[in-house]
Amino acid sequence: MNILSIGGSDPSSGAGVQGDVRAASALGVNCFSAITAITSQNSAKFLGVEPVSPKTIEMQIDAILSDFKIDAITIGMVYDSDTIRAIHSKLRGEKIPIILDPVIESTTGGVLLKKSALEPFRKLLIPLCHAITPNVSEAEALSGVRIAKESDLARAARKLSSLGAKKIVITGHKFAKNKISDFIFENKKGRTISGDRINYETHGSGCTFSFALAYAVASKNTFDGAVKFAKHFTYQSIENSQKSGRGVKITNPGHDRIRKDLSSAIAEFGNLRDSYGLIPECQTNFVYSKQDPKSVSDVLGVSGRIVKAGRRLVVAGDLEYGGSKHVATAVLTMQKKFPKIRAAINIKYDQNTVEKLQRAKNKISSYDRTDEPASTKNKENSSISWGVERAIRNLRSAPDAIYHTGDIGKEPMIIVFGKNPKQVVAKISKIL
């Protein structure tokens, strides 16, 4: 898939064309670009902007459209009227879906669209677009409608629709408590998609959303489906944002830190000397949960198992949320009492291993599976939660490991827990 990003250059790479390139990389698509302005900004402040000449903008767009098949176009920063006219002259009549992100002001306070350019923006760019994605303040500026309550969203959207916008997404409204929502307006009807609120500001989330929306639209999703995809992708990018400078965090498109940390820990575990000797007959799984998980679907694990192949380990399966049932259930049960525990691995039971864990000053707990009532034995995935609950019921702090010595048809097992996968591997490395 090829997507053309038309917008400003952001040297911090948080937003603008550089931000779109990062999002494209995460999505596995090609991102071509046409630069409209050169900004000087970072995570803390906006120093200035210099627009690219209209002729150069037109040549950039011509260069891409004359050579490549473009599946979608995003338009971000346009800055002034001359830029808007140049873009309009090249894109009018194009059948390619255009996602218009009306960036008016940067997170760090810089002006990205001159007031004198608002009217040409309304008349020339809005009618070109397949969808427009303003935030609340941008929707107010373009529609002239003050958005003070939820019902005002529909009024603003109707005004934008009257200007020629086919589909409208007013992003990031906060009228629902502890939620951040997007208002979708299409075919004269409005609806809201809500999500959990992240209570800090980031640089680049608007650009990430519009690019992800362009990708989803070009992938032939329904518009509802495209918005949901873009919202999820952006939420993950915000959740994994990084504070790399002195100012606000910068969004990190598509970077799943949970996946990265678990993958690294599995590789580290496999490289430990004699780690193959810790693999039980039922094989091993290694899991890492999101914060505040609701179910095993919020816990990343190996869809198959970590298996022993001679004296080395092989990961047989992919890392998937919901990929583990038993070890994931152990973490979920542990988190009910000790919420900081988010990672675990199951290893082969051996009394020597238990003693080594104890000598390494780990806190060990256990339970007896022969005491398990029939009601849980006969219920899928209930045995592990029953056992972990039993092992921690009288504890005031989380154990580093829990073991049981098995039962008829049940292999004995040790589960090593930690706040993160790296901590789990560190505990195991001490006994090897």
Side-chain angles (χ1 to χ4, degrees):
M1 182 184 294
N2 298 325
I3 297 178
L4 169 60
S5 168
I6 301 173
S9 168
D10 175 4
S12 76
S13 293
V17 167
Q18 289 93 327
D20 285 354
V21 170
R22 293 173 72 215
S25 178
L27 291 166
V29 301
N30 296 317
C31 180
F32 299 103
S33 63
I35 305 294
T36 60
I38 309 297
T39 70
S40 299
Q41 60 180 308
N42 54 35
S43 66
K45 58 184 177 180
F46 190 94
L47 289 81
V49 58
E50 186 168 331
V52 172
S53 72
K55 182 179 179 181
T56 300
I57 293 170
E58 290 176 358
M59 286 193 297
Q60 290 180 85
I61 296 172
D62 275 340
I64 300 303
L65 295 184
S66 65
D67 191 20
F68 305 101
K69 178 185 179 298
I70 300 300
D71 300 289
I73 297 172
T74 64
I75 301 176
M77 178 184 179
V78 293
Y79 192 60
D80 60 19
S81 301
D82 288 341
T83 298
I84 291 168
R85 293 188 187 98
I87 294 170
H88 176 263
S89 71
K90 292 299 170 185
L91 297 186
R92 61 184 175 189
E94 287 288 347
K95 303 301 182 184
I96 304 166
I98 297 170
I99 307 301
L100 178 61
D101 181 23
V103 287
I104 294 176
E105 186 176 287
S106 74
T107 309
T108 47
V111 173
L112 304 181
L113 181 67
K114 288 182 174 181
K115 287 185 178 179
S116 60
L118 278 172
E119 196 55 34
F121 190 98
R122 293 186 187 102
K123 288 183 177 179
L124 298 178
L125 290 190
I126 289 180
L128 290 181
C129 68
H130 176 81
I132 183 171
T133 63
N135 60 29
V136 172
S137 62
E138 291 162 349
E140 286 182 327
L142 290 170
S143 68
V145 174
R146 184 170 179 270
I147 303 174
K149 54 186 184 295
E150 196 163 1
S151 60
D152 294 332
L153 293 165
R155 292 176 55 231
R158 281 194 291 271
K159 182 62 182 292
L160 292 173
S161 180
S162 72
L163 296 173
K166 300 173 185 66
K167 304 175 195 295
I168 298 134
V169 187
I170 301 178
T171 64
H173 74 80
K174 301 171 184 176
F175 293 114
K177 187 177 180 180
N178 297 323
K179 297 289 183 182
I180 188 159
S181 306
D182 298 326
F183 180 78
I184 304 171
F185 191 84
E186 181 185 16
N187 298 326
K188 299 181 180 180
K189 294 180 180 179
R191 56 203 175 278
T192 289
I193 296 176
S194 294
D196 293 334
R197 184 173 175 179
I198 298 177
N199 292 315
Y200 52 80
E201 192 171 32
T202 60
H203 178 51
S205 57
C207 296
T208 300
F209 180 88
S210 64
F211 193 90
L213 183 63
Y215 166 83
V217 166
S219 299
K220 310 302 180 185
N221 284 273
T222 64
F223 193 63
D224 261 16
V227 173
K228 288 175 182 176
F229 172 85
K231 186 173 182 65
H232 174 77
F233 183 81
T234 306
Y235 185 90
Q236 185 182 74
S237 300
I238 295 171
E239 195 174 40
N240 294 306
S241 59
Q242 297 176 328
K243 189 172 176 61
S244 49
R246 297 176 180 175
V248 298
K249 290 183 175 184
I250 292 177
T251 52
N252 196 8
H255 176 64
D256 187 340
R257 187 171 296 164
I258 292 173
R259 188 179 299 275
K260 176 179 177 293
D261 289 352
L262 181 57
S263 180
S264 297
I266 289 173
E268 188 178 350
F269 173 66
N271 289 330
L272 292 177
R273 183 178 178 182
D274 298 332
S275 60
Y276 68 90
L278 297 177
I279 305 300
E281 288 183 16
C282 68
Q283 311 301 336
T284 288
N285 213 318
F286 201 162
V287 305
Y288 191 20
S289 83
K290 297 178 180 179
Q291 290 185 338
D292 303 317
K294 303 297 186 294
S295 70
V296 294
S297 297
D298 295 319
V299 183
L300 188 68
V302 183
S303 60
R305 292 289 187 273
I306 301 171
V307 302
K308 179 169 60 175
R311 298 174 67 88
R312 66 187 183 91
L313 300 184
V314 175
V315 180
D318 299 321
L319 289 182
E320 295 180 2
Y321 286 96
S324 166
K325 297 292 187 293
H326 289 83
V327 185
T329 299
V331 169
L332 291 172
T333 306
M334 181 76 85
Q335 281 212 331
K336 291 176 183 177
K337 187 170 184 179
F338 304 113
K340 290 185 179 180
I341 301 301
R342 294 172 54 196
I345 189 172
N346 69 300
I347 60 175
K348 182 179 179 180
Y349 169 78
D350 186 282
Q351 187 56 36
N352 287 332
T353 303
V354 173
E355 291 171 2
K356 286 179 181 179
L357 286 165
Q358 289 172 328
R359 285 198 297 272
K361 298 182 179 179
N362 289 293
K363 185 174 183 177
I364 311 297
S365 187
S366 65
Y367 61 96
D368 188 344
R369 286 201 70 161
T370 62
D371 292 337
E372 183 182 359
S375 59
T376 59
K377 281 185 178 181
N378 298 327
K379 189 176 180 181
E380 188 178 2
N381 292 326
S382 292
S383 290
I384 188 69
S385 56
W386 171 85
V388 173
E389 284 173 358
R390 195 172 181 87
I392 66 176
R393 62 184 175 181
N394 296 321
L395 300 183
R396 293 189 176 182
S397 60
D400 297 288
I402 294 174
Y403 73 90
H404 67 81
T405 56
D407 193 6
I408 298 172
K410 302 294 183 182
E411 184 181 6
M413 197 68 60
I414 301 171
I415 300 180
V416 181
F417 296 90
K419 294 179 181 178
N420 54 60
K422 188 175 182 65
Q423 189 181 75
V424 172
V425 174
K427 291 175 183 179
I428 292 174
S429 69
K430 290 181 180 179
I431 68 171
L432 291 177

PDB file of all heavy atoms in Angstrom, residues 331-356:
ATOM      1  N   VAL A 331      -1.204 -15.230  36.572  1.00  0.00           N
ATOM      2  CA  VAL A 331      -0.890 -13.809  36.719  1.00  0.00           C
ATOM      3  C   VAL A 331      -2.136 -13.004  37.074  1.00  0.00           C
ATOM      4  O   VAL A 331      -2.111 -12.141  37.957  1.00  0.00           O
ATOM      5  CB  VAL A 331      -0.238 -13.263  35.429  1.00  0.00           C
ATOM      6  CG1 VAL A 331      -0.159 -11.738  35.470  1.00  0.00           C
ATOM      7  CG2 VAL A 331       1.149 -13.850  35.254  1.00  0.00           C
ATOM      8  N   LEU A 332      -3.243 -13.286  36.393  1.00  0.00           N
ATOM      9  CA  LEU A 332      -4.487 -12.573  36.685  1.00  0.00           C
ATOM     10  C   LEU A 332      -4.908 -12.783  38.136  1.00  0.00           C
ATOM     11  O   LEU A 332      -5.356 -11.842  38.809  1.00  0.00           O
ATOM     12  CB  LEU A 332      -5.601 -13.051  35.746  1.00  0.00           C
ATOM     13  CG  LEU A 332      -5.467 -12.667  34.273  1.00  0.00           C
ATOM     14  CD1 LEU A 332      -6.540 -13.381  33.454  1.00  0.00           C
ATOM     15  CD2 LEU A 332      -5.590 -11.171  34.088  1.00  0.00           C
ATOM     16  N   THR A 333      -4.782 -14.011  38.632  1.00  0.00           N
ATOM     17  CA  THR A 333      -5.159 -14.313  40.011  1.00  0.00           C
ATOM     18  C   THR A 333      -4.228 -13.608  40.988  1.00  0.00           C
ATOM     19  O   THR A 333      -4.674 -13.028  41.995  1.00  0.00           O
ATOM     20  CB  THR A 333      -5.116 -15.837  40.253  1.00  0.00           C
ATOM     21  OG1 THR A 333      -5.929 -16.483  39.273  1.00  0.00           O
ATOM     22  CG2 THR A 333      -5.638 -16.184  41.644  1.00  0.00           C
ATOM     23  N   MET A 334      -2.945 -13.608  40.704  1.00  0.00           N
ATOM     24  CA  MET A 334      -1.965 -12.920  41.544  1.00  0.00           C
ATOM     25  C   MET A 334      -2.241 -11.420  41.594  1.00  0.00           C
ATOM     26  O   MET A 334      -2.147 -10.780  42.645  1.00  0.00           O
ATOM     27  CB  MET A 334      -0.563 -13.182  41.002  1.00  0.00           C
ATOM     28  CG  MET A 334       0.549 -12.540  41.815  1.00  0.00           C
ATOM     29  SD  MET A 334       0.915 -13.378  43.363  1.00  0.00           S
ATOM     30  CE  MET A 334       2.057 -14.616  42.776  1.00  0.00           C
ATOM     31  N   GLN A 335      -2.626 -10.845  40.440  1.00  0.00           N
ATOM     32  CA  GLN A 335      -2.837  -9.401  40.369  1.00  0.00           C
ATOM     33  C   GLN A 335      -4.003  -8.911  41.208  1.00  0.00           C
ATOM     34  O   GLN A 335      -4.047  -7.750  41.583  1.00  0.00           O
ATOM     35  CB  GLN A 335      -3.042  -8.977  38.908  1.00  0.00           C
ATOM     36  CG  GLN A 335      -1.754  -8.878  38.126  1.00  0.00           C
ATOM     37  CD  GLN A 335      -1.838  -7.807  37.060  1.00  0.00           C
ATOM     38  OE1 GLN A 335      -2.914  -7.507  36.538  1.00  0.00           O
ATOM     39  NE2 GLN A 335      -0.709  -7.222  36.730  1.00  0.00           N
ATOM     40  N   LYS A 336      -4.945  -9.784  41.488  1.00  0.00           N
ATOM     41  CA  LYS A 336      -6.086  -9.368  42.307  1.00  0.00           C
ATOM     42  C   LYS A 336      -5.634  -8.922  43.684  1.00  0.00           C
ATOM     43  O   LYS A 336      -6.229  -8.024  44.298  1.00  0.00           O
ATOM     44  CB  LYS A 336      -7.091 -10.516  42.425  1.00  0.00           C
ATOM     45  CG  LYS A 336      -7.815 -10.836  41.125  1.00  0.00           C
ATOM     46  CD  LYS A 336      -8.734 -12.039  41.286  1.00  0.00           C
ATOM     47  CE  LYS A 336      -9.398 -12.400  39.967  1.00  0.00           C
ATOM     48  NZ  LYS A 336     -10.242 -13.618  40.090  1.00  0.00           N
ATOM     49  N   LYS A 337      -4.565  -9.540  44.188  1.00  0.00           N
ATOM     50  CA  LYS A 337      -4.046  -9.176  45.511  1.00  0.00           C
ATOM     51  C   LYS A 337      -2.769  -8.345  45.410  1.00  0.00           C
ATOM     52  O   LYS A 337      -2.550  -7.438  46.212  1.00  0.00           O
ATOM     53  CB  LYS A 337      -3.779 -10.438  46.331  1.00  0.00           C
ATOM     54  CG  LYS A 337      -3.403 -10.144  47.786  1.00  0.00           C
ATOM     55  CD  LYS A 337      -3.395 -11.411  48.630  1.00  0.00           C
ATOM     56  CE  LYS A 337      -3.125 -11.071  50.097  1.00  0.00           C
ATOM     57  NZ  LYS A 337      -3.139 -12.290  50.949  1.00  0.00           N
ATOM     58  N   PHE A 338      -1.955  -8.645  44.395  1.00  0.00           N
ATOM     59  CA  PHE A 338      -0.680  -7.955  44.224  1.00  0.00           C
ATOM     60  C   PHE A 338      -0.602  -7.404  42.800  1.00  0.00           C
ATOM     61  O   PHE A 338      -0.030  -8.042  41.900  1.00  0.00           O
ATOM     62  CB  PHE A 338       0.483  -8.916  44.503  1.00  0.00           C
ATOM     63  CG  PHE A 338       0.435  -9.567  45.854  1.00  0.00           C
ATOM     64  CD1 PHE A 338       0.212 -10.935  45.969  1.00  0.00           C
ATOM     65  CD2 PHE A 338       0.588  -8.816  47.012  1.00  0.00           C
ATOM     66  CE1 PHE A 338       0.151 -11.543  47.211  1.00  0.00           C
ATOM     67  CE2 PHE A 338       0.535  -9.419  48.272  1.00  0.00           C
ATOM     68  CZ  PHE A 338       0.310 -10.780  48.373  1.00  0.00           C
ATOM     69  N   PRO A 339      -1.219  -6.240  42.547  1.00  0.00           N
ATOM     70  CA  PRO A 339      -1.376  -5.724  41.174  1.00  0.00           C
ATOM     71  C   PRO A 339      -0.077  -5.399  40.438  1.00  0.00           C
ATOM     72  O   PRO A 339      -0.094  -5.247  39.220  1.00  0.00           O
ATOM     73  CB  PRO A 339      -2.236  -4.467  41.370  1.00  0.00           C
ATOM     74  CG  PRO A 339      -2.104  -4.113  42.804  1.00  0.00           C
ATOM     75  CD  PRO A 339      -1.888  -5.382  43.546  1.00  0.00           C
ATOM     76  N   LYS A 340       1.041  -5.294  41.147  1.00  0.00           N
ATOM     77  CA  LYS A 340       2.296  -4.979  40.458  1.00  0.00           C
ATOM     78  C   LYS A 340       2.898  -6.194  39.748  1.00  0.00           C
ATOM     79  O   LYS A 340       3.802  -6.056  38.934  1.00  0.00           O
ATOM     80  CB  LYS A 340       3.298  -4.396  41.450  1.00  0.00           C
ATOM     81  CG  LYS A 340       2.921  -2.997  41.940  1.00  0.00           C
ATOM     82  CD  LYS A 340       4.000  -2.407  42.826  1.00  0.00           C
ATOM     83  CE  LYS A 340       3.608  -0.989  43.275  1.00  0.00           C
ATOM     84  NZ  LYS A 340       4.657  -0.392  44.140  1.00  0.00           N
ATOM     85  N   ILE A 341       2.417  -7.383  40.073  1.00  0.00           N
ATOM     86  CA  ILE A 341       2.938  -8.594  39.440  1.00  0.00           C
ATOM     87  C   ILE A 341       2.265  -8.780  38.084  1.00  0.00           C
ATOM     88  O   ILE A 341       1.072  -9.023  37.993  1.00  0.00           O
ATOM     89  CB  ILE A 341       2.689  -9.832  40.332  1.00  0.00           C
ATOM     90  CG1 ILE A 341       3.368  -9.642  41.687  1.00  0.00           C
ATOM     91  CG2 ILE A 341       3.188 -11.095  39.636  1.00  0.00           C
ATOM     92  CD1 ILE A 341       4.868  -9.427  41.606  1.00  0.00           C
ATOM     93  N   ARG A 342       3.061  -8.683  37.013  1.00  0.00           N
ATOM     94  CA  ARG A 342       2.492  -8.713  35.661  1.00  0.00           C
ATOM     95  C   ARG A 342       3.119  -9.771  34.756  1.00  0.00           C
ATOM     96  O   ARG A 342       2.682  -9.944  33.615  1.00  0.00           O
ATOM     97  CB  ARG A 342       2.636  -7.338  35.003  1.00  0.00           C
ATOM     98  CG  ARG A 342       1.825  -6.238  35.674  1.00  0.00           C
ATOM     99  CD  ARG A 342       2.156  -4.871  35.112  1.00  0.00           C
ATOM    100  NE  ARG A 342       2.022  -4.825  33.666  1.00  0.00           N
ATOM    101  CZ  ARG A 342       2.545  -3.866  32.914  1.00  0.00           C
ATOM    102  NH1 ARG A 342       3.247  -2.894  33.471  1.00  0.00           N
ATOM    103  NH2 ARG A 342       2.389  -3.886  31.602  1.00  0.00           N
ATOM    104  N   ALA A 343       4.152 -10.473  35.243  1.00  0.00           N
ATOM    105  CA  ALA A 343       4.839 -11.442  34.385  1.00  0.00           C
ATOM    106  C   ALA A 343       5.056 -12.758  35.123  1.00  0.00           C
ATOM    107  O   ALA A 343       5.162 -12.775  36.357  1.00  0.00           O
ATOM    108  CB  ALA A 343       6.174 -10.870  33.920  1.00  0.00           C
ATOM    109  N   ALA A 344       5.115 -13.841  34.367  1.00  0.00           N
ATOM    110  CA  ALA A 344       5.351 -15.157  34.982  1.00  0.00           C
ATOM    111  C   ALA A 344       5.802 -16.158  33.937  1.00  0.00           C
ATOM    112  O   ALA A 344       5.513 -16.008  32.741  1.00  0.00           O
ATOM    113  CB  ALA A 344       4.086 -15.664  35.668  1.00  0.00           C
ATOM    114  N   ILE A 345       6.505 -17.195  34.411  1.00  0.00           N
ATOM    115  CA  ILE A 345       6.916 -18.307  33.569  1.00  0.00           C
ATOM    116  C   ILE A 345       6.746 -19.590  34.361  1.00  0.00           C
ATOM    117  O   ILE A 345       6.962 -19.607  35.584  1.00  0.00           O
ATOM    118  CB  ILE A 345       8.382 -18.135  33.112  1.00  0.00           C
ATOM    119  CG1 ILE A 345       8.762 -19.170  32.054  1.00  0.00           C
ATOM    120  CG2 ILE A 345       9.345 -18.207  34.300  1.00  0.00           C
ATOM    121  CD1 ILE A 345      10.140 -18.925  31.432  1.00  0.00           C
ATOM    122  N   ASN A 346       6.315 -20.652  33.706  1.00  0.00           N
ATOM    123  CA  ASN A 346       6.234 -21.949  34.389  1.00  0.00           C
ATOM    124  C   ASN A 346       7.465 -22.780  34.045  1.00  0.00           C
ATOM    125  O   ASN A 346       7.901 -22.812  32.896  1.00  0.00           O
ATOM    126  CB  ASN A 346       4.952 -22.704  34.007  1.00  0.00           C
ATOM    127  CG  ASN A 346       4.955 -23.188  32.574  1.00  0.00           C
ATOM    128  OD1 ASN A 346       5.049 -22.386  31.650  1.00  0.00           O
ATOM    129  ND2 ASN A 346       4.854 -24.495  32.371  1.00  0.00           N
ATOM    130  N   ILE A 347       8.069 -23.401  35.072  1.00  0.00           N
ATOM    131  CA  ILE A 347       9.251 -24.228  34.869  1.00  0.00           C
ATOM    132  C   ILE A 347       9.059 -25.570  35.573  1.00  0.00           C
ATOM    133  O   ILE A 347       8.158 -25.750  36.391  1.00  0.00           O
ATOM    134  CB  ILE A 347      10.538 -23.536  35.375  1.00  0.00           C
ATOM    135  CG1 ILE A 347      10.446 -23.225  36.872  1.00  0.00           C
ATOM    136  CG2 ILE A 347      10.820 -22.272  34.569  1.00  0.00           C
ATOM    137  CD1 ILE A 347      11.733 -22.658  37.476  1.00  0.00           C
ATOM    138  N   LYS A 348       9.937 -26.506  35.249  1.00  0.00           N
ATOM    139  CA  LYS A 348       9.867 -27.868  35.775  1.00  0.00           C
ATOM    140  C   LYS A 348      10.052 -27.880  37.296  1.00  0.00           C
ATOM    141  O   LYS A 348      10.936 -27.225  37.832  1.00  0.00           O
ATOM    142  CB  LYS A 348      10.966 -28.698  35.107  1.00  0.00           C
ATOM    143  CG  LYS A 348      11.012 -30.148  35.508  1.00  0.00           C
ATOM    144  CD  LYS A 348      12.142 -30.828  34.742  1.00  0.00           C
ATOM    145  CE  LYS A 348      12.263 -32.290  35.114  1.00  0.00           C
ATOM    146  NZ  LYS A 348      13.360 -32.944  34.358  1.00  0.00           N
ATOM    147  N   TYR A 349       9.198 -28.656  37.977  1.00  0.00           N
ATOM    148  CA  TYR A 349       9.343 -28.782  39.431  1.00  0.00           C
ATOM    149  C   TYR A 349      10.502 -29.716  39.760  1.00  0.00           C
ATOM    150  O   TYR A 349      10.647 -30.811  39.196  1.00  0.00           O
ATOM    151  CB  TYR A 349       8.073 -29.334  40.080  1.00  0.00           C
ATOM    152  CG  TYR A 349       8.309 -29.710  41.529  1.00  0.00           C
ATOM    153  CD1 TYR A 349       8.345 -28.719  42.505  1.00  0.00           C
ATOM    154  CD2 TYR A 349       8.561 -31.029  41.883  1.00  0.00           C
ATOM    155  CE1 TYR A 349       8.604 -29.049  43.831  1.00  0.00           C
ATOM    156  CE2 TYR A 349       8.816 -31.369  43.208  1.00  0.00           C
ATOM    157  CZ  TYR A 349       8.834 -30.375  44.183  1.00  0.00           C
ATOM    158  OH  TYR A 349       9.111 -30.696  45.481  1.00  0.00           O
ATOM    159  N   ASP A 350      11.314 -29.255  40.681  1.00  0.00           N
ATOM    160  CA  ASP A 350      12.385 -30.068  41.253  1.00  0.00           C
ATOM    161  C   ASP A 350      12.671 -29.472  42.624  1.00  0.00           C
ATOM    162  O   ASP A 350      12.790 -28.240  42.748  1.00  0.00           O
ATOM    163  CB  ASP A 350      13.633 -30.018  40.360  1.00  0.00           C
ATOM    164  CG  ASP A 350      14.721 -30.962  40.852  1.00  0.00           C
ATOM    165  OD1 ASP A 350      15.412 -30.603  41.826  1.00  0.00           O
ATOM    166  OD2 ASP A 350      14.849 -32.054  40.267  1.00  0.00           O
ATOM    167  N   GLN A 351      12.798 -30.324  43.647  1.00  0.00           N
ATOM    168  CA  GLN A 351      13.036 -29.818  44.991  1.00  0.00           C
ATOM    169  C   GLN A 351      14.345 -29.038  45.064  1.00  0.00           C
ATOM    170  O   GLN A 351      14.447 -28.035  45.776  1.00  0.00           O
ATOM    171  CB  GLN A 351      13.057 -30.965  46.007  1.00  0.00           C
ATOM    172  CG  GLN A 351      13.142 -30.510  47.466  1.00  0.00           C
ATOM    173  CD  GLN A 351      12.025 -29.560  47.869  1.00  0.00           C
ATOM    174  OE1 GLN A 351      10.882 -29.684  47.422  1.00  0.00           O
ATOM    175  NE2 GLN A 351      12.347 -28.580  48.710  1.00  0.00           N
ATOM    176  N   ASN A 352      15.336 -29.456  44.288  1.00  0.00           N
ATOM    177  CA  ASN A 352      16.599 -28.714  44.258  1.00  0.00           C
ATOM    178  C   ASN A 352      16.403 -27.304  43.713  1.00  0.00           C
ATOM    179  O   ASN A 352      17.032 -26.354  44.178  1.00  0.00           O
ATOM    180  CB  ASN A 352      17.634 -29.459  43.407  1.00  0.00           C
ATOM    181  CG  ASN A 352      18.164 -30.700  44.093  1.00  0.00           C
ATOM    182  OD1 ASN A 352      18.198 -30.767  45.322  1.00  0.00           O
ATOM    183  ND2 ASN A 352      18.575 -31.686  43.299  1.00  0.00           N
ATOM    184  N   THR A 353      15.520 -27.172  42.708  1.00  0.00           N
ATOM    185  CA  THR A 353      15.230 -25.848  42.146  1.00  0.00           C
ATOM    186  C   THR A 353      14.551 -24.964  43.183  1.00  0.00           C
ATOM    187  O   THR A 353      14.885 -23.775  43.336  1.00  0.00           O
ATOM    188  CB  THR A 353      14.334 -25.973  40.895  1.00  0.00           C
ATOM    189  OG1 THR A 353      14.975 -26.815  39.946  1.00  0.00           O
ATOM    190  CG2 THR A 353      14.071 -24.615  40.277  1.00  0.00           C
ATOM    191  N   VAL A 354      13.611 -25.547  43.943  1.00  0.00           N
ATOM    192  CA  VAL A 354      12.942 -24.792  45.004  1.00  0.00           C
ATOM    193  C   VAL A 354      13.964 -24.314  46.028  1.00  0.00           C
ATOM    194  O   VAL A 354      13.953 -23.153  46.466  1.00  0.00           O
ATOM    195  CB  VAL A 354      11.856 -25.653  45.682  1.00  0.00           C
ATOM    196  CG1 VAL A 354      11.280 -24.925  46.908  1.00  0.00           C
ATOM    197  CG2 VAL A 354      10.747 -25.987  44.696  1.00  0.00           C
ATOM    198  N   GLU A 355      14.877 -25.203  46.424  1.00  0.00           N
ATOM    199  CA  GLU A 355      15.889 -24.838  47.419  1.00  0.00           C
ATOM    200  C   GLU A 355      16.841 -23.767  46.889  1.00  0.00           C
ATOM    201  O   GLU A 355      17.256 -22.869  47.628  1.00  0.00           O
ATOM    202  CB  GLU A 355      16.663 -26.092  47.839  1.00  0.00           C
ATOM    203  CG  GLU A 355      15.805 -27.070  48.655  1.00  0.00           C
ATOM    204  CD  GLU A 355      16.495 -28.404  48.899  1.00  0.00           C
ATOM    205  OE1 GLU A 355      17.665 -28.555  48.459  1.00  0.00           O
ATOM    206  OE2 GLU A 355      15.863 -29.283  49.516  1.00  0.00           O
ATOM    207  N   LYS A 356      17.196 -23.868  45.611  1.00  0.00           N
ATOM    208  CA  LYS A 356      18.057 -22.837  45.017  1.00  0.00           C
ATOM    209  C   LYS A 356      17.352 -21.470  45.009  1.00  0.00           C
ATOM    210  O   LYS A 356      17.975 -20.437  45.270  1.00  0.00           O
ATOM    211  CB  LYS A 356      18.433 -23.228  43.583  1.00  0.00           C
ATOM    212  CG  LYS A 356      19.454 -24.351  43.488  1.00  0.00           C
ATOM    213  CD  LYS A 356      19.730 -24.682  42.023  1.00  0.00           C
ATOM    214  CE  LYS A 356      20.731 -25.815  41.901  1.00  0.00           C
ATOM    215  NZ  LYS A 356      20.991 -26.171  40.479  1.00  0.00           N
TER     216      LYS A 356
END
